[in-house]
Structure formats: structure tokens, C-alpha cells
């Protein structure tokens, strides 16, 4: 039995319109879809006014505001009753906007139209909070003219959020907007501390609904369930697969895609991650790539959700790992042996603690610190990463060709824009009553779902507002039906969904497809002469692809999603417990290479072989335990596509 939720979003579009650089409903071919994810056009000057106009407020009828829209912010200046040069909340960065919509009054005598935006500003303590702002377009005598003005503002704001160019001299109409993408959300309800489903229902679904993303949602029920699903998925029906869990669920998805007969096309399917697990390493790297401050828990989830709403993909390197038995799997994160893998697996019993399990596991691991004898061989990268500065170089043994990355530069944080919302999603919230209305004030959002507005601008006594029907659905498309609240049961997968029902004999083992490893000789055979070999006693060995080992652990500060490198880090025996602890504390800032620890080594490689010479130990791939014994791996650059949102930029409008 599948736990399944389907929603549909609608907006006006031209059927042959394509979107590049952000979410769009372009060609269904995964190859063409991957190529369509080009960088967005250069932003306009931050201070250039794009739209300017006077609006009333809602629900309070007295105040009047002058709105100015630029490429980076919505400026709000109060005109009446008391003009203010810098009113409270008078600047709304587009980095805090998730979407917008237009509304109309249910009162036949009200000729005004309404423009509503959804924002996620940070509170005093740094946490994001949800807020809405609604403005009344009433400058014309007829509703049709006011509606056109409200739609013009909503369309312009949506284009800015999605990275779409605005016409220079042309009319701004909803026809500029592409159709929404369709996502498959896979939720592990037991992720982290078991809060994944609750966080998804309360935070993720409302936000992506405001962004106009159409989605189907499935709760996974067992290990390798996600792998089974994507192995038989009709990929042409989807624009992306997003996991709402930890790193393990995405590992299943990627290996399922690479275990298909059409793996060359399947692996190009854009994948994303919304962190609801314990480690959340890839999400930490996505968060940094997007220009956000380091975050944990719910803050990290909201940041990654905002980036997902904005759309945009990035090539993703995948590491092919061949195990001792000859089976093969693919890694997007890490291969670990020694201290890191010991902590990862031994802390499983503390999973109820969430990310704190790793802190406790580290303390216990330090108390019983082990060393492991082994042999590490690697093919050095032909294109070396940035040369280390003399002050931060690592001491090099005669047999070790180590390359130390530069210290991580200060992160630049920039506005991150999101998309527009018109997706129906009933959410639990208090009813808003109007004193002069015979019925409760409806939720203000397209198709009837969305945010509450109580307390945004104050006041009451207004006629109820309803969605603007012209933005509710494109011509020729069926009107989206409202579903029952997501907390009340779940429908089953319809036969036409394209999703396979699980079968008892479904393959869940190692991948038999995927790209060939042309750099690797068979395990047990001699290595080519251009490989470097280290042998000795190790405390840990880590092969990592992205920058982060955990949401708050930056193991490879200069790693990129598509640098084509596997970053090898190792710690030899002889390090004290205190020095090892200092390394991990410094790793929170990505500054561990600057400590000058003589036991710490680093190399950038294209392939490697690890041969444990100790009879017992733990090996992990992406945090999942695998068979113990020799293994080897090769990096396959940029064969996947990761939904990251746009990269962060240093500029922010004051």
C-alpha cells in the first residue's frame, strides 16, 4: 500500500514556451531538459525601478502605499495616513519571497483587485517565519482594469523570482509565465527523529505550493523502496525527483536510476534533496552553494526548500564504487573507513537524537580510538585544485603527493529568489471572520489554498476575497480539484500514474548498469605506474565528493558538485585524541587544513583503491554500511543533475 498525495497546479502559458535557468515545462526528454537548465540571464541593476504604483491595503482600508519593484526587492512606502520615509517592513527583498497571487472580492460592488505576496523573513533570532502581505489595486473605475494591474505586478514579480526576462517594451501579461514543473516527492517518514512527514506537511508542501510546483508525494515504507520505484518510473512524466529525508534516500534514488536499461538518459533526471535526516551532508553543501549561512534542522530545511522553489540544476559528479565481491554501487557523497565510518554506524542506536547522535558517537569513538592498517592508492588529478598558501601547507612525506586546498573563502550571501504559487493545498489554520460577512473569510490564495493574513496590516470589515479565476488555470486545462487535508489518510496510486507497484523479486542489489570504469584495473591486479600508494596505520580514510561531510562539517572546503574530483583525506596513527577533536571542531568552519596537523593528509584524485589490511572494520558508502574488504572507485564527472537553485552572489540591495 502506497501513501500517496497528488496535487496539480495551473497557470497560463503558451504551449511551446520553454524556460531555461529555472523551473519550466520544457521538452520531456531528460537530455534536453538537462541542457535547458542554463544559468539565468544577468540580473538587472539593483536600483532600477521596474514597476511603480499606488495601492491600498487589505484588510485595513485606510492606509495607502506606494510600491516600487526592482530586480532585488519590493519597496513599500506608506503614503496615508502618515507618510513615512522608511516604514517598518518597508523593504521586502525578493530573497524572502516564495510566491504571489491575485485575488478578487466576492462582493459584486467591489471593483478592486488584490495582489498578495508570500514571504519568509528572518526573525530576531535568525529563524525564518512565514508572513503574507496583500495590497489593493483600486486606481481604475472597473474591476477589469484593476485586475489587469494586479496581474501585471504578479507576473513581473514571478518573472523575477524565476529568472525569466521581462519584455523591454512589451506588455507584461500572464502569458509570459511557463507551465509549472511536475515533481515526484519521496518522503521517508522515519527520517531523522521521525519528524520528516510532519515537517514535510507543515513546511515543505505549503512553500512549494506557493511556488507553483505541481507534485505527487509518496511515503516510502522500507529500505530500497525508493530504488524500486525509480527503476520502473515513466521518466517522461516528471521534471524532477526530490527526496524528503536524509542522504540515504537519495542514494537509493540515484542507484535506482543507474540500474535501469536506459541509465544514460535516466541519470540526467534532475534530483533534489530536502533535509529531514540526521546527517544531511548534501543539503549542507546545497545550502552553502546557495549563499545561505550554515544552518541545521528546520532552518536548513526551509533554506533548501526555498532553493528548490527557485529551480535550476547543476551537474553532479557520481563515484562508481566496486566492492570486494565485484558488485558495484554509485556514491554522490563519500566512502569512509575508520573513525568516520565507526561513528556513523555505531551511532545508529542513537538515531532518536537526530543530528546529536553524531556528537555522542564522536565522544564514544574518541574514548575507544582505534587504528587500522591498510593501503591507499590513488590516481592523482591531472588538473590540480588551487595551490595551498605557504602558511597552510601540510607537511608531505616522501611517498605522499598531497595537495592541500586553500582555506575556505568568506561566504558571500545574496538574495535567493523563488517561484510563484497557485497550487491548491488545504492546510490547518484558524478561520478569519469578517464582521459584515455571512461566511468565514476564505484563505487567500489561488485555487483556494494558502496563507492566513490575520495581523498583516490590521483592520477588518472587508468582503471575502476569492482567487482570480483568470490565473487559476490555463486555457484547455482542467480545474485542479481540492484534496482533503494531507493529515487525513491518503489515496492510493492510480493505475495511470506511471509508478510501478513493488514486486517481491524487484532488484535491490548492486547496480549492473551504469558507465564503465575505464580507469580501474580489476581488483587484485597491479595498478598502473602513475598511481600513488600509501601504506601504514590509519585512524581514518575519507573519500568525499561534495564539500560537506555533514550539515555542519565542511570536509573539503573547495570541492564543487562538478569538479570531477574525489577528495581524499586521511589521518595517520600517532594523533592524540585532543588533536583529532580539534580537527573535527575546525571542520565546522572548513579550517582543519590550516591547523598544520602532521598526521592529516589530502589528495585530489580521479580514482582510488582502498585495501584494508586489518581483519575487522567498517566501510560505508554515503553513510550506508557495505561489505568489508578491498574496494576501488572512479569518479564520473557531471553525469547527474542536482537541483540546487541559483548560486549565491555577494550583492544584496540595502
Amino acid at each position: 500500500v502506497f501513501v500517496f498525495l497528488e496535487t496539480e497546479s495551473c497557470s497560463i502559458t503558451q504551449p511551446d514556451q520553454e524556460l531555461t535557468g529555472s523551473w519550466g515545462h520544457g521538452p520531456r526528454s531528460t537530455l534536453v531538459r538537462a541542457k535547458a537548465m542554463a544559468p539565468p540571464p544577468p540580473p538587472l541593476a539593483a536600483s532600477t525601478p521596474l514597476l511603480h504604483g499606488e495601492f491600498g491595503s487589505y484588510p485595513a482600508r485606510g492606509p495607502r502605499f506606494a510600491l516600487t519593484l526592482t530586480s532585488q526587492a519590493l519597496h513599500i512606502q506608506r503614503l496615508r495616513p502618515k507618510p513615512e520615509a522608511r516604514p517598518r517592513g518597508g523593504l521586502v527583498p525578493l530573497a524572502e519571497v516564495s510566491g504571489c497571487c491575485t485575488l478578487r472580492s466576492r462582493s459584486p460592488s467591489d471593483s478592486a483587485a488584490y495582489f498578495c505576496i508570500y514571504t519568509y523573513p528572518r526573525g530576531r533570532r535568525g529563524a525564518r517565519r512565514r508572513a503574507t502581505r496583500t495590497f489593493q489595486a483600486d486606481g481604475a473605475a472597473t474591476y477589469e482594469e484593476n485586475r489587469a494591474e494586479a496581474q501585471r505586478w504578479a507576473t513581473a514579480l514571478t518573472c523575477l523570482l524565476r529568472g525569466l526576462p521581462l519584455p523591454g517594451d512589451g506588455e507584461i501579461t500572464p502569458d509570459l509565465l511557463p507551465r509549472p514543473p511536475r515533481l515526484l516527492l519521496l518522503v521517508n517518514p522515519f527520517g531523522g527523529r521521525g519528524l520528516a512527514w510532519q515537517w514535510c506537511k507543515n513546511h515543505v508542501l505549503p512553500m512549494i505550493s506557493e511556488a507553483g510546483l505541481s507534485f505527487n508525494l509518496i511515503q516510502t515504507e522500507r529500505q530500497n523502496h525508493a530504488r524500486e520505484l525509480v527503476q520502473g518510473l515513466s521518466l517522461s512524466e516528471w521534471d524532477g525527483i526530490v527526496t524528503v529525508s536524509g542522504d540515504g534516500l537519495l542514494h537509493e534514488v540515484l542507484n535506482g536510476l543507474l540500474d535501469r536499461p536506459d541509465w544514460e538518459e535516466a541519470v540526467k533526471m534532475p534530483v533534489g534533496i530536502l533535509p529531514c535526516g540526521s546527517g544531511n551532508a548534501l543539503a549542507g553543501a546545497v545550502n552553502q552553494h546557495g549563499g545561505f549561512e550554515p544552518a541545521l534542522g528546520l532552518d536548513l530545511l526551509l533554506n533548501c526548500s526555498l532553493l528548490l522553489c527557485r529551480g535550476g540544476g547543476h551537474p553532479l559528479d557520481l563515484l562508481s564504487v566496486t566492492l570486494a565481491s565485484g558488485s558495484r554501487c554509485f556514491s554522490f557523497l563519500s566512502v569512509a573507513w575508520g573513525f568516520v565510518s565507526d561513528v556513523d554506524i555505531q551511532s545508529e542506536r542513537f538515531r532518536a537524537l537526530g543530528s546529536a547522535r553524531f556528537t555522542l558517537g564522536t565522544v564514544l569513538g574518541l574514548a575507544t580510538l582505534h587504528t587500522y592498517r591498510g593501503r591507499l592508492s590513488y590516481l592523482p588529478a591531472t588538473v590540480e585544485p588551487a595551490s595551498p598558501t605557504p602558511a597552510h601547507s601540510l607537511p608531505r612525506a616522501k611517498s605522499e603527493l598531497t595537495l592541500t586546498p586553500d582555506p575556505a573563502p568568506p561566504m558571500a550571501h545574496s538574495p535567493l529568489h523563488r517561484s510563484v504559487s497557485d497550487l491548491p493545498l488545504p492546510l490547518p489554520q484558524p478561520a478569519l471572520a469578517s464582521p459584515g460577512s455571512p461566511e468565514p473569510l476564505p484563505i487567500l490564495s489561488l485555487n483556494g489554498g494558502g496563507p492566513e493574513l490575520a495581523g498583516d496590516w490590521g483592520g477588518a470589515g472587508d468582503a471575502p476575497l476569492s482567487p482570480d479565476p483568470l490565473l487559476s488555470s490555463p486555457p484547455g486545462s482542467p480545474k485542479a480539484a481540492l484534496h482533503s487535508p494531507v493529515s487525513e489518510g491518503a489515496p492510493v496510486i492510480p493505475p495511470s500514474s506511471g509508478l510501478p507497484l513493488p514486486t517481491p523479486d524487484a532488484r535491490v542489489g548492486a547496480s549492473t548498469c551504469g558507465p564503465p570504469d575505464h580507469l580501474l584495473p580489476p581488483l587484485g591486479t597491479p595498478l598502473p605506474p602513475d598511481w600513488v600508494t600509501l601504506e601504514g596505520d590509519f585512524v581514518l580514510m575519507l573519500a568525499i565528493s561534495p564539500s560537506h561531510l555533514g550539515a555542519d562539517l565542511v570536509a573539503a572546503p573547495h570541492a564543487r558538485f562538478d569538479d570531477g574530483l574525489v577528495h581524499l583525506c586521511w589521518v595517520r596513527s600517532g594523533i592524540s585524541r585532543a588533536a583529532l577533536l580539534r580537527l573535527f571542531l575546525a571542520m565546522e568552519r572548513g579550517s582543519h587544513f590550516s591547523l598544520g596537523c602532521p598526521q592529516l593528509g589530502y589528495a585530489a584524485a580521479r580514482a582510488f583503491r582502498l585495501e584494508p589490511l586489518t581483519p575487522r572494520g567498517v566501510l560505508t558508502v554515503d553513510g550506508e554500511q557495505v561489505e568489508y574488504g578491498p574496494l576501488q572507485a572512479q569518479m564520473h564527472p557531471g553525469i547527474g543533475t542536482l537541483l540546487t537553485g541559483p548560486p549565491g552572489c555577494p550583492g544584496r540591495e540595502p
Side-chain angles (χ1 to χ4, degrees), residues 630-651:
L631 61 78
Q632 60 185 16
Q634 173 182 329
M635 182 60 75
H636 295 276
I639 64 172
T641 302
L642 179 65
L643 295 171
T644 60
C649 302

Side-chain angles (χ1 to χ4, degrees), residues 362 366 553 575-600:
T362 299
L366 287 171
L553 288 177
I575 189 172
S576 67
R577 290 179 174 84
L580 184 60
L581 179 60
R582 283 195 296 270
L583 280 181
F584 279 92
L585 292 176
M587 197 178 292
E588 295 181 2
R589 304 179 300 277
S591 60
H592 47 295
F593 289 112
S594 64
L595 295 182
C597 176
Q599 290 83 18
L600 176 63

